[in-house]
């Protein structure tokens, strides 16, 4: 029977953030994830690292300040994944909120941010708006505002980085491993029964403290206890569409109010495509049974076509959809008004069950500060002396163009065309060298995965040997970030990795 200081349930951004922080602070850690790292809510987000301009409307100044600070840290520590962007907010006659309110909100946002990496906001005349977005509807258009925020191209890759940081600091992280039961002794949670979902192997582990970081599944995990605590999560679900870019469509990121229900939604150029989202609907059921509704697709397509009438997107243009549940605290408020703040709930205070804490809420943007708070709390619960949090002080990374230059010079040395370098630098950061060095020993790994596919066979070997990918989908969708995988990619994985069978 293995024994750990901390058992973390859930390998999304929050669980992995906690695992990396806790192992760096000297705790023995096991993280388990029932599917793949980052495959839950984390991969269904709008992929923004943002201060949360909208939260100002609900007076959440503290949350905005925290999010803006985290945005700056992330963009400096992981610039290959997080980049500053400028979003346009077009304003329309008769559509609230009026331009002057947006202007006041943005001035406050600038004041709270004071970060030279991100552009300050500025008002735009109608002419300036149309020069930037010539395809935008002119109907009732008045002008707009431009403001700076951040975009994370692949939160899935951030999860992989945190998983590797956990392992490097002596922790353990297992994907495709489900907590099937929580073990309790003398009123304390003492560990869990685990099941490997791919091999069927079952075993038990003991932990001094279990942290339930299962996002929207937090209540389902707590229901594994003989006397479950009251419901903690009152999530809302959100859907995104991924569409092909069109010349008549948006040229840059856009944040607008939907005509139908006045809800804000984003149009975001992303990975050569257009990401459109999202809906925000209260969710009560089983998170594993969530499915995109027809009305959501129609709503998002019609709002996009209304803003950019030349696009004429239809259902057949949708390349794929994502859906996820915001793991918000249970609340009687309307979906948009529920706080986006996070809480770490110590169950010994909640219902007298020691040895267990649950993470409620949290955004992608604030995973690091959530992890800091959770580990500070864990040290107190475990009765250990405080240890300073290392992630706040993590050094800045070289800029992306430097990473690209390094990758290009190494690519040349191993006979790979320079064009592969920008992608490798953006996906792997400083670790692009680990991928390219494999090609030195096995030149055949320098070939692309499939015709006209940007990924190299070396990345498959790297995903399996260094990044704990265990299925073909893990490799293609959450390591190589081929969304959706191009034709022939799965077959190529089978050739590099015959043991994968049917995957
Ligand atoms: C539509 C939408 C848009 C969003 N946009 C943004 C955005 O732009 N910016 C931002 O900052 N935030 C955004 N968010 C919020 C953000 O995505 C989430 O708050 C965050 O990803 C939650 O991460 P998590 O680790 O808590 O949960 P998850 O990523 O869901 O991870 C929990 C994991 O627990 C695992 N699990 C469940 N049960 C078990 C079990 N029994 N055993 C083992 N593992 C288990 C699940 O498989 C899952 O992978 C958005 C959310 C949604 C839904």
């Amino acid at each position: 029977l293995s024994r750990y200081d901390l058992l973390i349930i859930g390998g999304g951004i929050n669980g992995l953030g906690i695992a990396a922080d806790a192992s760096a602070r000297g705790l023995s850690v096991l993280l388990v994830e029932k599917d793949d790292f980052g495959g839950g809510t984390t991969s269904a987000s709008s992929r923004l690292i943002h201060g949360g301009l909208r939260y100002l409307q609900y007076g959440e100044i503290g949350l905005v300040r925290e999010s803006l600070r985290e945005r700056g840290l992330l963009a400096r520590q992981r610039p290959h994944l997080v980049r500053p962007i400028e979003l346009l907010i077009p304003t329309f006659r008769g559509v609230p909120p009026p331009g002057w309110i947006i202007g006041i909100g943005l001035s406050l946002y600038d004041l709270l941010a004071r970060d030279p990496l991100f552009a300050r906001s500025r008002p735009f005349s109608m002419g300036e708006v149309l020069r930037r977005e010539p395809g935008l509807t002119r109907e009732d258009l008045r002008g707009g505002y431009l403001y700076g925020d951040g975009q994370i191209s692949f939160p899935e890759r951030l999860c992989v980085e945190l998983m590797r940081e956990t392992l490097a600091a002596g922790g353990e992280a297992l994907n495709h491993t489900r907590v099937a039961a929580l073990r309790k002794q003398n009123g304390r949670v003492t560990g869990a029964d685990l099941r490997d979902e791919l091999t069927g192997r079952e075993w038990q582990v003991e932990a001094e403290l279990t942290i339930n970081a299962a996002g929207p599944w937090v209540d389902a995990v707590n229901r594994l206890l003989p006397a479950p605590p009251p419901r903690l999560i009152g999530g809302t679900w959100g859907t995104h569409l991924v569409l092909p870019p069109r010349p008549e469509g948006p040229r840059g990121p856009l944040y607008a109010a939907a005509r139908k229900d006045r809800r804000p939604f984003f149009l975001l150029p992303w990975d050569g495509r257009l990401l459109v989202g999202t809906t925000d609907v209260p969710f009560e059921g089983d998170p594993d049974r969530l499915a995109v509704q027809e009305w959501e697709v129609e709503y998002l397509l019609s709002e996009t076509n209304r803003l950019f009438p030349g696009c004429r997107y239809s259902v057949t243009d949708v390349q794929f959809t994502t859906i996820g549940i915001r793991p918000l605290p249970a609340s009687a408020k309307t979906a948009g008004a529920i706080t986006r703040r996070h809480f770490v709930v110590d169950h010994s205070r909640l219902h007298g069950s020691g040895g267990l804490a649950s993470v409620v809420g949290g955004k992608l943007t604030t995973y690091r500060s959530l992890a800091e708070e959770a580990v500070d709390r864990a040290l107190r619960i475990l009765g250990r002396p405080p240890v300073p949090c290392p992630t706040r002080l993590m050094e800045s990374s070289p800029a992306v163009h430097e990473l690209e230059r390094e990758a290009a010079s190494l690519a040349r040395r191993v006979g790979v065309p320079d064009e592969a370098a920008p992608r490798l630098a953006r996906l792997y950061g400083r670790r692009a060298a680990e991928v390219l060095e494999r090609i030195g020993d096995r030149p055949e790994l320098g070939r692309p995965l499939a015709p006209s596919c940007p990924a190299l066979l070396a990345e498959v070997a790297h995903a399996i040997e260094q990044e704990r990918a265990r299925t073909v989908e893990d490799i293609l969708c959450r390591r190589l970030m081929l969304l959706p995988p191009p034709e022939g990619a799965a077959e190529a994985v089978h050739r590099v990795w015959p043991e994968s069978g049917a995957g």
Side-chain angles (χ1 to χ4, degrees):
L1 188 75
S2 315
R3 232 192 117 69
Y4 299 89
D5 293 330
L6 273 193
L7 168 66
I8 299 166
I9 306 171
I13 193 75
N14 286 326
L16 284 160
I18 296 169
D21 183 326
S23 25
R25 289 203 243 179
L27 293 177
S28 67
V29 169
L30 170 66
L31 176 141
V32 289
E33 162 56 51
K34 73 176 168 63
D35 293 313
D36 189 22
F37 305 121
T41 320
T42 299
S43 57
S45 69
S46 303
R47 300 172 186 267
L48 290 174
I49 295 298
H50 63 141
L53 176 62
R54 201 171 60 80
Y55 312 147
L56 288 176
Q57 171 186 351
Y58 300 103
E60 301 245 30
I61 306 269
L63 175 62
V64 175
R65 202 190 290 274
E66 175 188 353
S67 306
L68 289 167
R69 184 194 67 215
E70 294 301 314
R71 182 187 76 171
L73 274 175
L74 260 173
R76 287 173 176 84
Q77 292 173 344
R78 308 194 194 250
H80 56 295
L81 293 176
V82 177
R83 64 184 189 110
I85 54 172
E86 284 187 279
L87 293 108
L88 177 71
I89 309 182
T91 52
F92 296 94
R93 213 163 289 117
V95 179
W100 63 271
I101 294 216
I102 299 174
I104 291 176
L106 285 171
S107 303
L108 182 56
Y109 203 61
D110 290 338
L111 205 69
L112 292 170
R114 289 173 187 266
D115 187 337
L117 204 56
F118 295 87
R120 284 178 67 87
S121 68
R122 54 188 188 279
F124 260 28
S125 67
M126 188 166 126
E128 284 171 308
V129 168
L130 288 173
R131 262 197 300 286
R132 192 179 166 89
E133 290 296 352
L136 189 67
T137 178
R138 285 159 169 73
E139 201 187 321
D140 294 329
L141 182 66
R142 292 189 70 149
Y145 289 87
L146 203 66
Y147 77 103
D149 239 327
Q151 184 176 39
I152 177 161
S153 38
F154 301 120
E156 300 87 341
R157 293 281 332 158
L158 177 53
C159 286
V160 172
E161 291 187 4
L162 293 168
M163 180 272 294
R164 292 201 62 190
E165 286 161 25
T166 303
L167 303 188
E172 181 55 290
L174 303 173
N175 51 353
H176 300 288
T177 302
R178 176 188 291 273
V179 166
L182 288 171
R183 306 178 71 76
K184 213 169 165 183
Q185 248 174 20
N186 305 326
R188 282 185 66 77
V189 173
T190 54
D193 295 352
L194 306 182
R195 185 174 61 239
D196 186 314
E197 298 283 89
L198 300 183
T199 63
R201 179 182 160 233
E202 294 183 351
W203 73 107
Q204 296 170 357
V205 290
E206 278 185 0
E208 251 186 89
L209 178 64
T210 297
I211 299 189
N212 177 357
W217 290 266
V218 158
D219 289 321
V221 167
N222 286 338
R223 278 199 297 273
L224 298 171
L225 287 167
R231 187 173 139 198
L232 297 174
I233 304 285
T236 68
W237 97 69
T239 289
H240 289 90
L241 310 181
V242 177
L243 296 163
R246 294 248 158 101
E248 306 83 359
R251 297 191 170 173
L254 218 104
Y255 185 28
R259 206 29 87 92
K260 187 164 176 208
D261 55 4
R262 308 289 189 227
R263 275 209 66 251
F265 78 109
F266 292 106
L267 296 169
L268 302 164
W270 165 70
D271 196 30
R273 276 149 313 172
L274 183 66
L275 182 68
V276 179
T278 164
T279 47
D280 199 359
V281 191
F283 183 77
E284 294 284 337
D286 172 0
D288 283 316
R289 289 172 185 271
L290 196 61
V292 175
Q293 307 293 303
E294 221 174 286
W295 69 261
E296 296 182 277
V297 178
E298 278 163 20
Y299 164 82
L300 292 170
L301 284 176
S302 82
E303 292 295 341
T304 306
N305 288 334
R306 187 187 55 74
L307 279 179
F308 289 89
C311 277
R312 296 165 192 255
Y313 284 119
S314 71
V315 178
T316 52
D317 293 316
V318 177
Q319 293 179 334
F320 64 97
T321 57
T322 65
I323 184 162
I325 303 168
R326 301 172 183 85
L328 309 176
S331 161
K333 292 187 179 166
T334 56
I338 302 173
T339 183
R340 262 54 174 174
R341 237 175 303 146
H342 52 251
F343 307 91
V344 180
V345 177
D346 176 353
H347 286 249
S348 61
R349 293 177 182 214
L350 188 69
H351 63 131
S353 178
L356 179 67
S358 293
V359 172
V360 178
K363 307 189 302 153
L364 215 53
T365 309
T366 48
Y367 85 90
R368 195 213 59 81
S369 53
L370 181 150
E372 178 176 349
E373 186 186 323
V375 178
D376 286 347
R377 192 79 176 268
L379 289 169
R380 280 200 299 278
I381 295 173
L382 294 170
R384 308 286 171 89
V387 181
C389 172
T391 56
R392 200 184 265 255
L393 307 169
M394 225 169 99
E395 61 179 305
S396 293
S397 153
V400 177
H401 65 269
E402 280 175 51
L403 294 170
E404 284 180 10
R405 213 177 34 232
E406 270 172 37
S409 97
L410 194 55
R412 242 170 279 137
R413 238 182 296 149
V414 296
V416 168
D418 278 17
E419 298 92 81
R423 177 176 177 282
L424 291 172
R426 281 179 186 278
L427 280 194
Y428 303 94
R430 292 180 195 184
R431 290 193 163 123
E434 286 181 19
V435 177
L436 286 163
E437 275 157 10
R438 289 172 179 273
I439 300 167
D441 307 330
R442 292 177 62 191
E444 73 279 10
L445 292 182
R447 289 205 310 271
L449 195 58
S452 74
C453 172
L456 306 176
L457 288 170
E459 293 177 64
V460 175
H462 181 74
I464 298 162
E465 287 166 22
Q466 296 294 336
E467 300 187 333
R468 300 240 160 143
R470 294 184 62 199
T471 69
V472 174
E473 192 191 306
D474 295 351
I475 297 174
L476 297 176
C477 301
R478 285 175 296 273
R479 303 298 185 281
L480 276 55
M481 300 315 308
L482 300 170
L483 296 168
E487 216 168 297
E491 291 71 19
V493 170
H494 292 309
R495 280 199 298 280
V496 178
W497 186 33
E499 310 87 78
S500 65

